[in-house]
Amino acid sequence: MIDARPGEKGKILTISVSLFFIGLLLTAYSAKNENTTRLGASAVQTFVAPFEEGISTVRRFFQRLVDRYILLVNVKQENRELEQTVSLLSEKLARLPELEFENTELRRILALKERLKLEGMVAHVIAYDTLGGARSLTLDLGRRDGVRVEQPVVRPEGVVGRIRSTTLTSSQVLLLTDYASGVDALVQPSRARGVLFGRGPESTRLEFVVPDDEVNVGDAVITSGMGGVYPKGLMLGSVTRVVKQPGELFQDIDVKPSADFLHLEQVLVVTE
Amino acid sequence: MGNYLRWLLSALFIGLFFVFLQQGVFGMLLPAAAVPNLFVGFVLYLAFFHPSGQGAFLSFLLGLLFDVSSGGLLGPWASVFVLSYGVLALISDRIFIEARFALGLIALFVTLAFHGLYWLITFDVTYSNPNRLIEVAGQAVASAVAAPFVISAVQAWRRRFISDRSSYSRVR
């Protein structure tokens, strides 16, 4: 550090104070004459502007760099979101035919309800009892939904079976084809009466039809309404074979069930 | 060219460079409250290392340059600079600025005094805005940080380009 020479302090003070007042005068003058300031400012600006322009260019470069980086980050994020959307849409698209199919099925079941004036609930098949070849299946409705034992289970094509047992949330259906199944039936158009028994996965047999009744291959077999389980007129199947043995009390009649028991998805549980 | 004239021109060039740094570089890259007033360091340097009539004149010129670059009135900053210089030069032998912290502290108060004097001269209404006061406080801190570096830089410049044969001062 350097000290002022002796006697210099007074000089500094005098000059400083003088210049201070000159500054004040200049201030007062420039307050009234704006051009004085403007001229000086433009002179400095002329000197500084090119440098500022350079700095500004560099700054803009970095700003763009940052913007692009941020943009890239955004693009990455957007890409991730779009991938999720595509995945979601693909899933929906894949489900579309399924929903369409389900819709058609439900419409058919609804039409059946209206046609036969049945009260019931649509249930989804959630499991097949494959033991012995799908002779029973499980529905997603149970006691909580109003499903009771012995309620008929039907499809637009025909009878599926009846409720064998229920839990709170599910129920098991005894299929027409089960050996334990027996349905009082009529043969159209002869009105021959018999009982349709299950005989395994794909077939049933109509028994107790007397030889005098006219039954032909292709005749439709429907429920008779007797027995208190199935309403009258529900399609059971069609006759595929008729054997009349001389001396036998009843005809030997095979019936192919109308319902496709191996491809059931929705069924109507008839409540009334 | 005389040594003093060379020093004068050098100081003005440094002043212009400071204007460029303050307005062009820091002004663009930093928020207003973080832009240091480099002229504070320069005035401190002149007051502590060149306490003379010429130093006062130089401070005045730097103030004018600052006025011109700020685009406002011509004169208030010149008055502020020269008055501050005068006061600092008079008390420079009683203040020890060897420690950077002390120098920074002085720079902080000088910056605040600069603005106080400027307000007294101009009655600038912007100082009634709290944001402006925060800006001033921030600038004071930034100037305090920058002042030691500014002084070192000006000292280095002077050592390199100006000889001190004609100095009117003596080394303590």
Side-chain angles (χ1 to χ4, degrees):
Chain A
M1 198 170 75
I2 298 165
D3 287 345
R5 265 190 346 182
E8 190 81 9
K9 281 189 176 179
K11 194 176 165 188
I12 290 170
L13 188 64
T14 312
I15 293 174
S16 295
V17 171
S18 306
L19 287 172
F20 173 74
F21 283 110
I22 290 171
L24 290 185
L25 287 173
L26 262 176
T27 305
Y29 178 75
S30 69
K32 287 184 179 177
N33 301 280
E34 286 181 7
N35 286 341
T36 49
T37 316
R38 215 171 284 152
L39 200 68
S42 63
V44 171
Q45 198 55 35
T46 308
F47 170 78
V48 174
F51 297 102
E52 282 185 344
E53 181 58 34
I55 292 287
S56 181
T57 306
V58 173
R59 190 188 178 209
R60 276 200 301 272
F61 169 76
F62 281 107
Q63 190 65 47
R64 274 203 301 272
L65 206 69
V66 168
D67 284 349
R68 281 178 190 171
Y69 172 73
I70 290 168
L71 202 67
L72 272 181
V73 170
N74 288 343
V75 164
K76 205 173 171 183
Q77 174 70 20
E78 200 178 325
N79 192 31
R80 203 176 298 135
E81 285 171 9
L82 283 174
E83 273 177 6
Q84 283 176 353
T85 309
V86 166
S87 168
L88 202 71
L89 287 175
S90 301
E91 195 186 315
K92 280 185 178 172
L93 202 65
R95 284 187 59 200
L96 203 60
E98 200 58 31
L99 290 170
E100 210 172 322
F101 174 76
E102 193 175 332
N103 188 29
T104 312
E105 287 291 289
L106 291 173
R107 279 173 188 278
R108 287 179 65 201
I109 290 172
L110 192 68
L112 173 75
K113 261 177 80 175
E114 285 171 1
R115 183 162 49 88
L116 298 176
K117 296 188 171 27
L118 299 173
E119 284 299 320
M121 298 170 286
V122 176
H124 290 84
V125 177
I126 53 173
Y128 280 103
D129 176 13
T130 53
L131 192 70
R135 279 170 297 168
S136 71
L137 48 87
T138 308
L139 305 179
D140 64 348
L141 300 181
R143 276 199 303 276
R144 193 178 59 186
D145 308 293
V147 177
R148 301 286 178 266
V149 173
E150 295 298 316
Q151 284 177 338
V153 178
V154 298
R155 287 268 312 156
E157 306 90 75
V159 173
V160 174
R162 59 186 160 85
I163 301 293
R164 178 161 61 186
S165 61
T166 58
T167 67
L168 202 63
T169 56
S170 67
S171 50
Q172 202 171 35
V173 178
L174 179 74
L175 298 181
L176 268 188
T177 51
D178 192 283
Y179 287 106
S181 169
V183 183
D184 203 88
L186 285 175
V187 179
Q188 286 181 325
S190 66
R191 315 307 289 176
R193 170 167 254 129
V195 178
L196 190 74
F197 289 104
R199 284 188 60 195
E202 284 290 316
S203 70
T204 52
R205 172 180 283 183
L206 188 63
E207 294 185 6
F208 309 122
V209 178
V210 293
D212 293 344
D213 287 339
E214 183 70 25
V215 178
N216 297 308
V217 171
D219 284 351
V221 182
I222 59 168
T223 53
S224 67
M226 305 289 279
V229 175
Y230 298 98
K232 189 178 179 179
L234 296 177
M235 188 70 176
L236 289 168
S238 54
V239 176
T240 54
R241 191 176 74 98
V242 182
V243 178
K244 287 183 182 176
Q245 298 277 7
E248 289 286 332
L249 286 174
F250 305 107
Q251 295 184 55
D252 189 7
I253 302 168
D254 287 346
V255 177
K256 184 177 175 9
S258 304
D260 181 1
F261 298 103
L262 293 175
H263 300 97
L264 293 172
E265 290 181 28
Q266 288 101 19
V267 293
L268 179 70
V269 180
V270 180
T271 53
E272 282 182 35
Chain B
M1 190 188 291
N3 224 17
Y4 177 67
L5 189 59
R6 201 196 286 176
W7 169 227
L8 192 89
L9 291 175
S10 293
L12 287 176
F13 178 76
I14 292 169
L16 273 174
F17 181 66
F18 282 175
V19 167
F20 160 69
L21 271 183
Q22 257 180 243
Q23 293 181 4
V25 183
F26 297 142
M28 279 183 169
L29 303 178
L30 299 173
V35 176
N37 187 342
L38 302 175
F39 285 83
V40 172
F42 206 160
V43 171
L44 281 176
Y45 168 76
L46 291 174
F48 285 101
F49 295 92
H50 295 278
S52 64
Q54 291 174 351
F57 184 62
L58 210 50
S59 297
F60 183 76
L61 286 183
L62 287 173
L64 279 182
L65 184 64
F66 197 77
D67 278 325
V68 166
S69 68
S70 64
L73 295 170
L74 192 67
W77 282 115
S79 296
V80 168
F81 277 27
V82 77
L83 192 66
S84 304
Y85 170 86
V87 172
L88 286 168
L90 289 178
I91 60 168
S92 62
D93 54 347
R94 297 176 192 280
I95 299 174
F96 297 94
I97 55 159
E98 277 71 15
R100 276 177 177 250
F101 178 75
L103 194 58
L105 206 61
I106 291 165
L108 181 88
F109 286 117
V110 168
T111 311
L112 294 174
F114 267 25
H115 284 281
L117 278 171
Y118 182 81
W119 178 73
L120 282 174
I121 293 169
T122 60
F123 287 107
D124 188 347
V125 288
T126 59
Y127 283 90
S128 59
N129 186 337
N131 288 337
R132 175 72 175 134
L133 295 179
I134 291 168
E135 200 177 289
V136 167
Q139 279 180 2
V141 174
S143 304
V145 173
F149 298 101
V150 171
I151 290 172
S152 301
V154 178
Q155 258 178 332
W157 171 281
R158 190 178 163 89
R159 265 202 299 272
R160 189 173 175 83
F161 296 106
I162 317 287
S163 72
D164 268 334
R165 279 177 302 176
S166 63
S167 174
Y168 292 106
S169 309
R170 65 179 171 80
V171 177
R172 186 166 61 179

mmCIF file of all heavy atoms in Angstrom, chain A residues 49-75:
data_model
loop_
_atom_site.group_PDB
_atom_site.id
_atom_site.type_symbol
_atom_site.label_atom_id
_atom_site.label_comp_id
_atom_site.label_asym_id
_atom_site.label_seq_id
_atom_site.Cartn_x
_atom_site.Cartn_y
_atom_site.Cartn_z
ATOM 1 N N ALA A 49 -20.535 -3.058 -28.210
ATOM 2 C CA ALA A 49 -21.522 -3.869 -28.927
ATOM 3 C C ALA A 49 -20.943 -5.105 -29.623
ATOM 4 O O ALA A 49 -21.510 -6.200 -29.487
ATOM 5 C CB ALA A 49 -22.274 -2.996 -29.923
ATOM 6 N N PRO A 50 -19.817 -4.966 -30.374
ATOM 7 C CA PRO A 50 -19.311 -6.176 -31.054
ATOM 8 C C PRO A 50 -18.962 -7.301 -30.074
ATOM 9 O O PRO A 50 -19.236 -8.470 -30.348
ATOM 10 C CB PRO A 50 -18.048 -5.678 -31.765
ATOM 11 C CG PRO A 50 -18.191 -4.214 -31.839
ATOM 12 C CD PRO A 50 -18.989 -3.798 -30.674
ATOM 13 N N PHE A 51 -18.399 -6.915 -28.948
ATOM 14 C CA PHE A 51 -18.052 -7.931 -27.949
ATOM 15 C C PHE A 51 -19.320 -8.567 -27.373
ATOM 16 O O PHE A 51 -19.397 -9.772 -27.159
ATOM 17 C CB PHE A 51 -17.221 -7.309 -26.816
ATOM 18 C CG PHE A 51 -15.897 -6.778 -27.283
ATOM 19 C CD1 PHE A 51 -15.705 -5.426 -27.489
ATOM 20 C CD2 PHE A 51 -14.843 -7.645 -27.541
ATOM 21 C CE1 PHE A 51 -14.490 -4.930 -27.917
ATOM 22 C CE2 PHE A 51 -13.612 -7.153 -27.975
ATOM 23 C CZ PHE A 51 -13.436 -5.792 -28.165
ATOM 24 N N GLU A 52 -20.281 -7.687 -27.135
ATOM 25 C CA GLU A 52 -21.543 -8.191 -26.586
ATOM 26 C C GLU A 52 -22.217 -9.146 -27.567
ATOM 27 O O GLU A 52 -22.790 -10.151 -27.180
ATOM 28 C CB GLU A 52 -22.482 -7.025 -26.275
ATOM 29 C CG GLU A 52 -22.116 -6.317 -24.988
ATOM 30 C CD GLU A 52 -23.116 -5.241 -24.602
ATOM 31 O OE1 GLU A 52 -23.915 -4.833 -25.456
ATOM 32 O OE2 GLU A 52 -23.079 -4.814 -23.442
ATOM 33 N N GLU A 53 -22.085 -8.786 -28.848
ATOM 34 C CA GLU A 53 -22.674 -9.638 -29.883
ATOM 35 C C GLU A 53 -22.030 -11.021 -29.855
ATOM 36 O O GLU A 53 -22.700 -12.055 -29.951
ATOM 37 C CB GLU A 53 -22.492 -8.973 -31.255
ATOM 38 C CG GLU A 53 -23.088 -9.733 -32.422
ATOM 39 C CD GLU A 53 -24.578 -9.997 -32.274
ATOM 40 O OE1 GLU A 53 -25.270 -9.148 -31.696
ATOM 41 O OE2 GLU A 53 -25.033 -11.071 -32.722
ATOM 42 N N GLY A 54 -20.679 -10.995 -29.697
ATOM 43 C CA GLY A 54 -19.936 -12.257 -29.622
ATOM 44 C C GLY A 54 -20.384 -13.085 -28.426
ATOM 45 O O GLY A 54 -20.673 -14.278 -28.557
ATOM 46 N N ILE A 55 -20.474 -12.406 -27.299
ATOM 47 C CA ILE A 55 -20.910 -13.092 -26.077
ATOM 48 C C ILE A 55 -22.320 -13.643 -26.262
ATOM 49 O O ILE A 55 -22.623 -14.780 -25.895
ATOM 50 C CB ILE A 55 -20.911 -12.103 -24.882
ATOM 51 C CG1 ILE A 55 -19.482 -11.696 -24.525
ATOM 52 C CG2 ILE A 55 -21.607 -12.701 -23.661
ATOM 53 C CD1 ILE A 55 -18.683 -12.771 -23.846
ATOM 54 N N SER A 56 -23.141 -12.802 -26.874
ATOM 55 C CA SER A 56 -24.525 -13.195 -27.075
ATOM 56 C C SER A 56 -24.615 -14.436 -27.961
ATOM 57 O O SER A 56 -25.418 -15.341 -27.714
ATOM 58 C CB SER A 56 -25.284 -12.038 -27.715
ATOM 59 O OG SER A 56 -26.610 -12.390 -27.889
ATOM 60 N N THR A 57 -23.752 -14.475 -28.988
ATOM 61 C CA THR A 57 -23.742 -15.629 -29.896
ATOM 62 C C THR A 57 -23.366 -16.897 -29.129
ATOM 63 O O THR A 57 -24.021 -17.937 -29.265
ATOM 64 C CB THR A 57 -22.724 -15.404 -31.032
ATOM 65 O OG1 THR A 57 -23.033 -14.156 -31.647
ATOM 66 C CG2 THR A 57 -22.791 -16.505 -32.067
ATOM 67 N N VAL A 58 -22.304 -16.768 -28.316
ATOM 68 C CA VAL A 58 -21.859 -17.921 -27.531
ATOM 69 C C VAL A 58 -22.966 -18.357 -26.573
ATOM 70 O O VAL A 58 -23.262 -19.545 -26.426
ATOM 71 C CB VAL A 58 -20.573 -17.575 -26.734
ATOM 72 C CG1 VAL A 58 -20.197 -18.706 -25.786
ATOM 73 C CG2 VAL A 58 -19.439 -17.289 -27.700
ATOM 74 N N ARG A 59 -23.594 -17.345 -25.968
ATOM 75 C CA ARG A 59 -24.662 -17.641 -25.010
ATOM 76 C C ARG A 59 -25.824 -18.356 -25.702
ATOM 77 O O ARG A 59 -26.378 -19.324 -25.189
ATOM 78 C CB ARG A 59 -25.144 -16.330 -24.396
ATOM 79 C CG ARG A 59 -26.074 -16.538 -23.234
ATOM 80 C CD ARG A 59 -26.651 -15.237 -22.799
ATOM 81 N NE ARG A 59 -27.590 -15.431 -21.716
ATOM 82 C CZ ARG A 59 -28.609 -14.668 -21.483
ATOM 83 N NH1 ARG A 59 -28.849 -13.644 -22.254
ATOM 84 N NH2 ARG A 59 -29.412 -14.901 -20.480
ATOM 85 N N ARG A 60 -26.166 -17.824 -26.899
ATOM 86 C CA ARG A 60 -27.268 -18.450 -27.642
ATOM 87 C C ARG A 60 -26.936 -19.902 -27.996
ATOM 88 O O ARG A 60 -27.784 -20.784 -27.941
ATOM 89 C CB ARG A 60 -27.566 -17.652 -28.916
ATOM 90 C CG ARG A 60 -28.491 -16.478 -28.680
ATOM 91 C CD ARG A 60 -29.137 -16.043 -29.985
ATOM 92 N NE ARG A 60 -28.152 -15.658 -30.979
ATOM 93 C CZ ARG A 60 -27.641 -14.448 -31.122
ATOM 94 N NH1 ARG A 60 -28.030 -13.481 -30.330
ATOM 95 N NH2 ARG A 60 -26.743 -14.184 -32.050
ATOM 96 N N PHE A 61 -25.644 -20.118 -28.340
ATOM 97 C CA PHE A 61 -25.201 -21.465 -28.685
ATOM 98 C C PHE A 61 -25.433 -22.421 -27.509
ATOM 99 O O PHE A 61 -26.015 -23.491 -27.665
ATOM 100 C CB PHE A 61 -23.714 -21.438 -29.061
ATOM 101 C CG PHE A 61 -23.097 -22.807 -29.183
ATOM 102 C CD1 PHE A 61 -23.346 -23.603 -30.295
ATOM 103 C CD2 PHE A 61 -22.282 -23.305 -28.177
ATOM 104 C CE1 PHE A 61 -22.790 -24.866 -30.397
ATOM 105 C CE2 PHE A 61 -21.729 -24.570 -28.272
ATOM 106 C CZ PHE A 61 -21.973 -25.352 -29.386
ATOM 107 N N PHE A 62 -24.986 -21.970 -26.332
ATOM 108 C CA PHE A 62 -25.140 -22.823 -25.154
ATOM 109 C C PHE A 62 -26.617 -22.981 -24.783
ATOM 110 O O PHE A 62 -27.041 -24.045 -24.352
ATOM 111 C CB PHE A 62 -24.342 -22.261 -23.971
ATOM 112 C CG PHE A 62 -22.881 -22.582 -24.077
ATOM 113 C CD1 PHE A 62 -21.961 -21.600 -24.410
ATOM 114 C CD2 PHE A 62 -22.426 -23.879 -23.878
ATOM 115 C CE1 PHE A 62 -20.616 -21.902 -24.527
ATOM 116 C CE2 PHE A 62 -21.084 -24.191 -23.987
ATOM 117 C CZ PHE A 62 -20.168 -23.192 -24.313
ATOM 118 N N GLN A 63 -27.350 -21.870 -24.981
ATOM 119 C CA GLN A 63 -28.781 -21.927 -24.675
ATOM 120 C C GLN A 63 -29.476 -22.971 -25.551
ATOM 121 O O GLN A 63 -30.274 -23.770 -25.077
ATOM 122 C CB GLN A 63 -29.398 -20.536 -24.915
ATOM 123 C CG GLN A 63 -30.823 -20.390 -24.415
ATOM 124 C CD GLN A 63 -30.914 -20.504 -22.907
ATOM 125 O OE1 GLN A 63 -30.142 -19.886 -22.210
ATOM 126 N NE2 GLN A 63 -31.818 -21.329 -22.425
ATOM 127 N N ARG A 64 -29.083 -22.944 -26.852
ATOM 128 C CA ARG A 64 -29.668 -23.916 -27.789
ATOM 129 C C ARG A 64 -29.282 -25.329 -27.398
ATOM 130 O O ARG A 64 -30.083 -26.258 -27.461
ATOM 131 C CB ARG A 64 -29.199 -23.615 -29.216
ATOM 132 C CG ARG A 64 -30.057 -22.585 -29.925
ATOM 133 C CD ARG A 64 -29.929 -22.726 -31.430
ATOM 134 N NE ARG A 64 -28.565 -22.562 -31.875
ATOM 135 C CZ ARG A 64 -28.005 -21.407 -32.180
ATOM 136 N NH1 ARG A 64 -28.710 -20.303 -32.088
ATOM 137 N NH2 ARG A 64 -26.758 -21.337 -32.584
ATOM 138 N N LEU A 65 -28.004 -25.447 -26.981
ATOM 139 C CA LEU A 65 -27.504 -26.758 -26.561
ATOM 140 C C LEU A 65 -28.329 -27.292 -25.398
ATOM 141 O O LEU A 65 -28.759 -28.446 -25.388
ATOM 142 C CB LEU A 65 -26.034 -26.621 -26.151
ATOM 143 C CG LEU A 65 -25.170 -27.869 -26.276
ATOM 144 C CD1 LEU A 65 -24.955 -28.217 -27.746
ATOM 145 C CD2 LEU A 65 -23.818 -27.641 -25.614
ATOM 146 N N VAL A 66 -28.525 -26.398 -24.444
ATOM 147 C CA VAL A 66 -29.307 -26.780 -23.255
ATOM 148 C C VAL A 66 -30.736 -27.116 -23.665
ATOM 149 O O VAL A 66 -31.292 -28.137 -23.261
ATOM 150 C CB VAL A 66 -29.300 -25.639 -22.211
ATOM 151 C CG1 VAL A 66 -30.337 -25.893 -21.122
ATOM 152 C CG2 VAL A 66 -27.919 -25.522 -21.595
ATOM 153 N N ASP A 67 -31.304 -26.241 -24.515
ATOM 154 C CA ASP A 67 -32.678 -26.456 -24.958
ATOM 155 C C ASP A 67 -32.818 -27.810 -25.647
ATOM 156 O O ASP A 67 -33.765 -28.553 -25.416
ATOM 157 C CB ASP A 67 -33.111 -25.349 -25.929
ATOM 158 C CG ASP A 67 -33.408 -24.068 -25.182
ATOM 159 O OD1 ASP A 67 -33.473 -24.120 -23.943
ATOM 160 O OD2 ASP A 67 -33.549 -23.026 -25.838
ATOM 161 N N ARG A 68 -31.834 -28.090 -26.507
ATOM 162 C CA ARG A 68 -31.914 -29.345 -27.252
ATOM 163 C C ARG A 68 -31.767 -30.532 -26.325
ATOM 164 O O ARG A 68 -32.406 -31.562 -26.509
ATOM 165 C CB ARG A 68 -30.836 -29.383 -28.331
ATOM 166 C CG ARG A 68 -31.251 -28.575 -29.537
ATOM 167 C CD ARG A 68 -30.196 -28.546 -30.582
ATOM 168 N NE ARG A 68 -30.536 -27.583 -31.610
ATOM 169 C CZ ARG A 68 -29.720 -27.213 -32.560
ATOM 170 N NH1 ARG A 68 -28.507 -27.719 -32.620
ATOM 171 N NH2 ARG A 68 -30.096 -26.334 -33.458
ATOM 172 N N TYR A 69 -30.876 -30.360 -25.352
ATOM 173 C CA TYR A 69 -30.691 -31.466 -24.405
ATOM 174 C C TYR A 69 -31.987 -31.712 -23.647
ATOM 175 O O TYR A 69 -32.450 -32.843 -23.541
ATOM 176 C CB TYR A 69 -29.560 -31.147 -23.434
ATOM 177 C CG TYR A 69 -29.451 -32.159 -22.330
ATOM 178 C CD1 TYR A 69 -28.946 -33.428 -22.586
ATOM 179 C CD2 TYR A 69 -29.893 -31.861 -21.049
ATOM 180 C CE1 TYR A 69 -28.880 -34.374 -21.590
ATOM 181 C CE2 TYR A 69 -29.822 -32.797 -20.045
ATOM 182 C CZ TYR A 69 -29.309 -34.050 -20.318
ATOM 183 O OH TYR A 69 -29.260 -34.974 -19.327
ATOM 184 N N ILE A 70 -32.546 -30.604 -23.169
ATOM 185 C CA ILE A 70 -33.805 -30.724 -22.421
ATOM 186 C C ILE A 70 -34.886 -31.306 -23.322
ATOM 187 O O ILE A 70 -35.664 -32.159 -22.932
ATOM 188 C CB ILE A 70 -34.227 -29.351 -21.849
ATOM 189 C CG1 ILE A 70 -33.260 -28.970 -20.718
ATOM 190 C CG2 ILE A 70 -35.653 -29.365 -21.321
ATOM 191 C CD1 ILE A 70 -33.368 -27.558 -20.254
ATOM 192 N N LEU A 71 -34.830 -30.831 -24.604
ATOM 193 C CA LEU A 71 -35.802 -31.331 -25.575
ATOM 194 C C LEU A 71 -35.638 -32.840 -25.741
ATOM 195 O O LEU A 71 -36.613 -33.583 -25.815
ATOM 196 C CB LEU A 71 -35.572 -30.617 -26.906
ATOM 197 C CG LEU A 71 -36.752 -30.594 -27.854
ATOM 198 C CD1 LEU A 71 -37.867 -29.749 -27.272
ATOM 199 C CD2 LEU A 71 -36.321 -30.049 -29.203
ATOM 200 N N LEU A 72 -34.345 -33.264 -25.795
ATOM 201 C CA LEU A 72 -34.081 -34.699 -25.950
ATOM 202 C C LEU A 72 -34.622 -35.477 -24.768
ATOM 203 O O LEU A 72 -35.191 -36.556 -24.939
ATOM 204 C CB LEU A 72 -32.575 -34.938 -26.076
ATOM 205 C CG LEU A 72 -32.023 -34.859 -27.495
ATOM 206 C CD1 LEU A 72 -30.537 -35.124 -27.486
ATOM 207 C CD2 LEU A 72 -32.711 -35.871 -28.392
ATOM 208 N N VAL A 73 -34.425 -34.895 -23.593
ATOM 209 C CA VAL A 73 -34.941 -35.544 -22.390
ATOM 210 C C VAL A 73 -36.454 -35.664 -22.498
ATOM 211 O O VAL A 73 -37.043 -36.704 -22.218
ATOM 212 C CB VAL A 73 -34.550 -34.738 -21.123
ATOM 213 C CG1 VAL A 73 -35.284 -35.276 -19.908
ATOM 214 C CG2 VAL A 73 -33.051 -34.832 -20.901
ATOM 215 N N ASN A 74 -37.069 -34.561 -22.982
ATOM 216 C CA ASN A 74 -38.521 -34.571 -23.152
ATOM 217 C C ASN A 74 -38.942 -35.614 -24.175
ATOM 218 O O ASN A 74 -39.946 -36.294 -24.003
ATOM 219 C CB ASN A 74 -39.019 -33.188 -23.586
ATOM 220 C CG ASN A 74 -38.938 -32.209 -22.437
ATOM 221 O OD1 ASN A 74 -38.822 -32.621 -21.290
ATOM 222 N ND2 ASN A 74 -38.965 -30.936 -22.729
ATOM 223 N N VAL A 75 -38.145 -35.680 -25.262
ATOM 224 C CA VAL A 75 -38.467 -36.641 -26.315
ATOM 225 C C VAL A 75 -38.395 -38.061 -25.762
ATOM 226 O O VAL A 75 -39.241 -38.898 -26.046
ATOM 227 C CB VAL A 75 -37.495 -36.475 -27.510
ATOM 228 C CG1 VAL A 75 -37.543 -37.675 -28.435
ATOM 229 C CG2 VAL A 75 -37.839 -35.215 -28.290
#
